[in-house]
Amino acid sequence: ILMGVSPQFRNSLRGFAIAITLVEELLKNQEAHNGREVEAGWVLEDNQPLISLLKQFGFSASKTFRLYLKKL
């Protein structure tokens, strides 16, 4: 499942409420289907608002991927 908040709502109270609702619904569906884990993969390390939100729901980082750019 791919989820996100529209750029017009990012860094706003409305955007935060949307993100909370998305995570709550994801966890509710996981529980309804007897899921054991939920992974929030590919969260950029500079996306502190989402990282903070996920930590409040008990998520923790299990691996880190880094992207590098080099002009050829």
Side-chain angles (χ1 to χ4, degrees), residues 40-51:
W42 292 100
V43 176
L44 297 178
E45 63 186 344
D46 63 348
N47 191 345
Q48 286 304 315
L50 180 56
I51 291 169

Side-chain angles (χ1 to χ4, degrees), residues 1-42:
I1 298 173
L2 179 65
M3 62 180 220
V5 175
S6 176
Q8 68 188 33
F9 297 120
R10 287 184 195 150
N11 300 316
S12 71
L13 188 55
R14 180 180 281 178
F16 188 66
I18 291 168
I20 287 173
T21 302
L22 290 170
V23 174
E24 286 175 338
E25 287 298 315
L26 181 65
L27 293 174
K28 190 186 315 179
N29 281 314
Q30 175 254 355
E31 186 176 313
H33 291 92
N34 297 316
R36 293 180 292 169
E37 296 180 5
V38 174
E39 180 177 335
W42 292 100

